[in-house]
Amino acid sequence: MARRTDICAQQLPTVAMSLVDAGSLAPLTSDATVRLHTVTKTGVELILKRPFIDGSHVLMDVHNITQKLIQVTLPGGEGEAPEGLRLWGDVVRFNRLEGAEGPCFLVELAWIKDKPARDVRQRLLKRLGRLNRSGGERAS
């Protein structure tokens, strides 16, 4: 029998996530630090410790009521503005996972194809993939 990996306990690189309006991409919540689980060209899986984006917005409830997009902001280097390090995705899955030390929450996003422009998006996806492979800044 295969052993199951406790995703909730894994040390993973971190990114920032916030809820944004689907039309204007205006932020609706403050940034929350989330762990980066899997990155592909078409989407990303993020791990949250709690189902809250900030102190009051429960991601699952918000997603079930009305479409909202998630903004993922990559960690910046010296002098890089966060505005240039953002990708947007639509929530396609939200699951509660049970870990040895308690639950965590997996959020799967499908990237929005027209935001940002294709060349910028490709550059950010490569950077996000490198961050995921290298381990990047680890969650505490």
Side-chain angles (χ1 to χ4, degrees):
M1 184 184 313
R3 256 182 100 141
R4 298 186 86 186
T5 303
D6 185 356
I7 294 172
C8 297
Q10 286 182 334
Q11 293 295 313
L12 300 168
T14 60
V15 294
M17 179 184 96
S18 62
L19 191 65
V20 296
D21 181 73
S24 67
L25 299 181
L28 299 173
T29 65
S30 56
D31 282 346
T33 300
V34 297
R35 293 178 291 152
L36 182 61
H37 183 257
T38 306
V39 178
T40 68
K41 289 182 181 179
T42 58
V44 65
E45 290 180 339
L46 304 170
I47 303 294
L48 288 76
K49 286 185 180 180
R50 293 172 217 79
F52 299 101
I53 295 174
D54 59 15
S56 60
H57 291 84
V58 179
L59 180 60
M60 189 171 73
D61 292 343
V62 170
H63 176 63
N64 287 339
I65 294 169
T66 180
Q67 182 198 15
K68 297 288 190 279
L69 300 180
I70 299 293
Q71 175 178 283
V72 176
T73 306
L74 284 67
E78 291 183 29
E80 287 183 291
E83 294 78 27
L85 300 172
R86 294 181 178 154
L87 291 162
W88 292 270
D90 192 11
V91 177
V92 293
R93 182 171 55 139
F94 183 87
N95 287 340
R96 177 186 168 115
L97 305 174
E98 294 300 328
E101 296 180 11
C104 65
F105 300 86
L106 181 133
V107 178
E108 182 180 352
L109 306 177
W111 296 126
I112 303 299
K113 299 222 181 287
D114 61 343
K115 297 282 183 189
R118 182 178 178 170
D119 57 333
V120 174
R121 186 176 65 250
Q122 293 302 329
R123 181 177 49 82
L124 290 174
L125 287 175
K126 285 180 185 176
R127 186 172 177 171
L128 193 58
R130 283 192 309 269
L131 175 69
N132 191 36
R133 285 189 299 278
S134 71
E137 296 178 25
R138 297 293 179 161
S140 52

